[in-house]
Amino acid sequence: MKIPANLAELPQLDTDYPLTEEQIASYQRNGHIYLKNILSAEEIGYYEPLIAGTVREHNYQTKPVGERDTYGKAFIQICNLWQMNEGVARYVLARRFAKIAAELMGVEGVRIYHDQALFKEAGGGHTPWHQDQVYWPLETPNTITLWMPLVNVSEEVGSMTFVDGSHTSGYMSRQFISDESHKTLASYIEGKGLSKTNYGAMNAGDATFHAGWTLHSAPGNPTDTMREVMTIIYVADGVNTMANPDSSARESDLKSWFPGVKAGEPAVSPLNPLVYKR
């Protein structure tokens, strides 16, 4: 691992990662995709220490894993690291990632919604079935999340599990992430016989991308090491926020991630920079 002395040493991450028409079609059909080697081992070597260090600096969780609720057991969650560290900002605002996001969705440009580190501790619990966009005050299906491990992830920890094609269904449940949501959605998946995909072990610098409405979950961490994952959420440029956020969570997200923006106005604030435009 390399800790750069200054920003000039950090890789720019502005070169293209080429996608095939088949990959784009697969994402649009299934609502998720696994892409290998988006970052090289050398690039990960520069950025992992910066991200992990920022997470440690801003992690105020003091309860042991066993004493937390289901959500708290799932991971250490720190949001908008790009505002906390200039080096991490170079990672989050990277053109390489943003161009992939735009091309997978088939849109002209993308803005940052927000980033979040999701570090699943040794012995950490599972992440229940859920849809991310239940929380988001956005009036568009064109949202996408990059989910990138910063360390190699073994088969027993693995990637998330996705329900194929579920992004076309919109709301499947308005329940937030909880034991109840897991039971409700697991019963729905089983009852409908829906197909699922898990990509298994992943190397640092690989990534999955999934749509905001794609139903997904993640296993617990039975190992004795931290599962370090960084995520970046993108929204297509040129969309509006929800006219009337229909839950307290969406109202909270509107205030947190679109400060100063009123319902019905364009989804643009200083926290939502345009990171790629074709």
Side-chain angles (χ1 to χ4, degrees):
M1 299 296 182
K2 302 175 182 178
I3 300 179
N6 55 66
L7 287 178
E9 295 182 19
L10 286 173
Q12 291 284 349
L13 309 185
D14 56 359
T15 56
D16 288 355
Y17 181 96
L19 295 175
T20 66
E21 290 183 7
E22 182 180 354
Q23 286 172 321
I24 294 171
S26 175
Y27 170 80
Q28 294 182 358
R29 180 174 61 252
N30 293 313
H32 59 82
I33 195 170
Y34 172 35
L35 300 175
K36 296 184 178 181
N37 302 315
I38 292 178
L39 288 188
S40 68
E42 181 180 7
E43 289 167 334
I44 279 286
Y46 277 104
Y47 283 99
E48 186 278 337
L50 290 176
I51 296 170
T54 304
V55 170
R56 287 192 296 270
E57 181 181 353
H58 293 273
N59 175 29
Y60 303 114
Q61 178 62 261
T62 58
K63 284 186 178 180
V65 172
E67 296 179 12
R68 304 176 201 164
D69 62 14
T70 298
Y71 194 96
K73 290 175 183 176
F75 36 63
I76 297 168
Q77 181 180 28
I78 310 294
C79 296
N80 266 19
L81 277 72
W82 74 274
Q83 292 193 292
M84 302 172 183
N85 181 285
E86 288 184 271
V88 179
R90 180 169 292 186
Y91 173 97
V92 172
L93 305 180
R95 179 184 180 277
R96 185 185 304 169
F97 304 156
K99 185 172 184 285
I100 295 171
E103 291 181 345
L104 289 175
M105 291 192 291
V107 300
E108 293 292 316
V110 292
R111 292 182 177 274
I112 296 293
Y113 180 30
H114 65 80
D115 70 53
Q116 52 187 6
L118 300 175
F119 280 32
K120 194 177 289 284
E121 298 156 280
H126 73 124
T127 307
W129 287 111
H130 67 284
Q131 295 171 291
D132 296 336
Q133 203 153 332
V134 168
Y135 291 88
W136 300 346
L138 295 166
E139 210 168 43
T140 176
N142 288 323
T143 59
I144 192 170
T145 297
L146 171 152
W147 190 94
M148 179 179 285
L150 306 176
V151 295
N152 293 342
V153 176
S154 66
E155 185 81 26
E156 57 188 332
V157 178
S159 77
M160 294 183 288
T161 298
F162 303 98
V163 176
D164 304 329
S166 55
H167 63 305
T168 63
S169 298
Y171 270 118
M172 299 177 78
S173 170
R174 292 179 182 264
Q175 292 177 310
F176 300 134
I177 299 175
S178 63
D179 292 330
E180 290 72 26
S181 77
H182 192 72
K183 291 176 184 177
T184 299
L185 290 168
S187 295
Y188 179 85
I189 294 164
E190 183 178 354
K192 293 287 187 179
L194 302 179
S195 64
K196 303 188 293 290
T197 297
N198 183 285
Y199 294 109
M202 296 176 65
N203 290 328
D206 294 349
T208 61
F209 285 77
H210 68 273
W213 285 119
T214 299
L215 188 58
H216 59 286
S217 67
N221 181 5
T223 73
D224 59 2
T225 58
M226 182 82 79
R227 186 213 71 183
E228 298 181 7
V229 166
M230 187 64 182
T231 70
I232 307 170
I233 305 164
Y234 302 92
V235 58
D237 182 38
V239 302
N240 290 337
T241 56
M242 290 287 289
N244 290 296
D246 53 4
S247 70
S248 59
R250 285 183 162 195
E251 288 176 0
S252 176
D253 264 30
L254 180 60
K255 292 176 182 177
S256 296
W257 312 125
F258 297 103
V261 178
K262 297 178 182 179
E265 294 180 347
V268 179
S269 83
L271 295 187
N272 315 113
L274 181 68
V275 283
Y276 174 75
K277 189 77 170 180
R278 183 161 55 190

